[in-house]
Amino acid sequence: MVEFNDYVQPNFALAEGSLDANVFQHSVYLNKFARDHKLALAELVTIPTAPIAIYSRRHRSLDEARAGTTVALPNDPTNQARALVMLAQLGWIALRPDADPVKASEKDIVRNPRGIKLLPLEAAQLPRALQDADYAFVNGNYALASGLKLADALRTETISRNYVNRVAVRSGDLNKPFARDIAAYRSRAFLAWTEQHNPGYAKTDYQLAMLAQKKP
């Protein structure tokens, strides 16, 4: 197991052969990164995913937002779009009607009636931002790594399939034996492990299908 503290190096390490697989990203990020950097990477299997959510150490409720409220959010384009869509759903901002929810940026904000001050930061820094900002959007992996509990979030994203995390491998390795072994994520044993150890995670389509088969 090799740990990284950013969203950039894991894909370069995978492409150059330092890793056989990585697991940290959704399809929007994977596809854009691979295209931008001309890397031959491919999705192997989806995995249960901790959603992005909004947290606060200063406020007990989202209703406490006032003029000048500071909101920290990811500065990478795909995760920032998720945060902006949630802010629009809260009514704190309004986005252009034709804004693509997968690609929304600060340029798409057409109204900010509460005068919210947005503080874009690297995703890994967002848990620390809770010391200074009124609210912060924190990606699930960084929330858990910093000791935050998913149940403590003031609002959690209803995660779409675009943002379910994936295991990525080099495109030429998709059919190798080790890749087939990694696909054990699809097993009922892993479903049981997920239910015991990952409360609050969004389950994958194949896990939901297995759960549906259990019902009478």
Side-chain angles (χ1 to χ4, degrees):
M1 298 293 292
V2 182
E3 294 187 8
F4 294 84
N5 61 6
D6 63 45
Y7 287 158
V8 176
Q9 297 309 312
N11 280 333
F12 287 131
L14 176 60
E16 71 183 15
S18 299
L19 305 174
D20 293 309
N22 68 36
V23 52
F24 74 97
Q25 63 195 321
H26 46 65
S27 64
V28 178
Y29 186 86
L30 170 61
N31 294 336
K32 185 178 188 304
F33 195 97
R35 184 174 60 251
D36 291 349
H37 298 281
K38 297 179 173 57
L39 304 179
L41 305 180
E43 169 191 335
L44 179 64
V45 62
T46 56
I47 65 164
T49 304
I52 196 170
I54 186 169
Y55 298 84
S56 180
R57 296 199 191 281
R58 296 182 176 184
H59 305 286
R60 294 178 179 271
S61 166
L62 296 175
D63 295 333
E64 296 178 22
R66 299 289 183 267
T69 289
T70 53
V71 179
L73 72 169
N75 65 1
D76 62 283
T78 53
N79 289 311
Q80 185 171 109
R82 298 164 74 183
L84 291 174
V85 167
M86 284 187 68
L87 285 173
Q89 292 169 347
L90 291 172
W92 291 9
I93 63 171
L95 299 173
R96 288 189 299 108
D98 60 344
D100 184 340
V102 174
K103 300 178 181 178
S105 71
E106 291 186 64
K107 295 179 181 178
D108 293 309
I109 298 174
V110 292
R111 284 194 304 111
N112 185 353
R114 300 190 185 208
I116 300 296
K117 295 180 180 178
L118 300 180
L119 306 173
L121 298 170
E122 287 189 20
Q125 304 302 317
L126 290 166
R128 296 182 201 168
L130 287 168
Q131 300 173 18
D132 303 307
D134 290 294
Y135 300 94
F137 284 92
V138 186
N139 294 70
N141 60 314
Y142 287 124
L144 294 169
S146 68
L148 291 170
K149 296 180 181 178
L150 299 181
D152 293 336
L154 299 178
R155 179 70 62 88
T156 299
E157 171 191 43
T158 301
I159 199 166
S160 75
R161 195 177 190 284
N162 287 328
Y163 298 127
V164 172
N165 283 344
R166 271 87 170 142
V167 176
V169 296
R170 289 179 293 278
S171 301
D173 290 345
L174 277 170
N175 296 313
K176 289 188 176 179
F178 84 85
R180 291 196 293 271
D181 290 340
I182 291 174
Y185 274 112
R186 296 180 179 274
S187 68
R188 287 191 175 276
F190 186 67
L191 171 61
W193 193 94
T194 302
E195 293 196 294
Q196 180 179 355
H197 298 285
N198 294 149
Y201 277 55
K203 292 183 175 64
T204 64
D205 290 345
Y206 56 82
Q207 288 185 319
L208 293 174
M210 285 189 283
L211 288 171
Q213 290 174 4
K214 289 184 178 180
K215 295 180 180 179

